Every structure is written in structure tokens, then in C-alpha cells.
Amino acid sequence: MTPFVITNDGSVGIGSSVPTAQLDITATSQQAINIRSTSGSGNIVRINNTSADTTPFIIDVNGNVGINTGAAVAPLDVVGKLLS
């Protein structure tokens, strides 16, 4: 297994010698990503589609998940329509 590689196009592989995305993490016997916050407040994960995104996907330090909101107020906080 390759522990870490950066390809000529800037893709990063962790546990992968041939990254198939800008960041490709391959794990076989443990978690692929473990993110911890030591600040005690705010979001520990935020995914934006633009630099000024007002409708991101977030996970805050309390484990609340927000979709289309920067501040989740419940375990699952979805702002907008749910279609079935």
C-alpha cells in the first residue's frame, strides 16, 4: 500500500497510489477520515459550492447536520423542500 502520493496534476492519494479525485483516501481496516474540534463551538465540517455559499452542508461540534444552512438547530436541519 502506498501511504501518500501527490501526482503531477496535484491530486493527492492517501493509501492510494493512483488517486481518482483531487483527494482520494483509501482505508481498509480503519476510518478513512476522523475530524475533531477542540474549540467547542461552530462547525467542524462545511462543504460549499462557491466561496460565498450561504446554503452549505455542515456538521457542527454537537453532531447536528445542516443542509442549506450554516447553523443547524436540530440533529438534522434541512432548509428547503424535501421531494419524494
Side-chain angles (χ1 to χ4, degrees):
M1 179 170 94
T2 302
F4 183 81
V5 67
I6 300 175
T7 64
N8 289 337
D9 69 355
S11 296
V12 175
I14 300 173
S16 171
S17 60
V18 184
T20 59
Q22 284 297 118
L23 176 60
D24 187 350
I25 301 171
T26 302
T28 56
S29 62
Q30 61 193 32
Q31 299 177 89
I33 298 175
N34 187 11
I35 301 172
R36 295 187 185 131
S37 173
T38 59
S39 70
S41 65
N43 298 329
I44 58 173
V45 174
R46 182 179 173 118
I47 301 173
N48 297 326
N49 65 358
T50 65
S51 61
D53 189 3
T54 59
T55 58
F57 169 88
I58 62 101
I59 302 172
D60 70 17
V61 295
N62 298 311
N64 294 334
V65 174
I67 300 172
N68 285 341
T69 180
V73 296
L76 178 58
D77 188 355
V78 179
V79 175
K81 296 180 181 179
L82 296 176
L83 303 175
S84 57

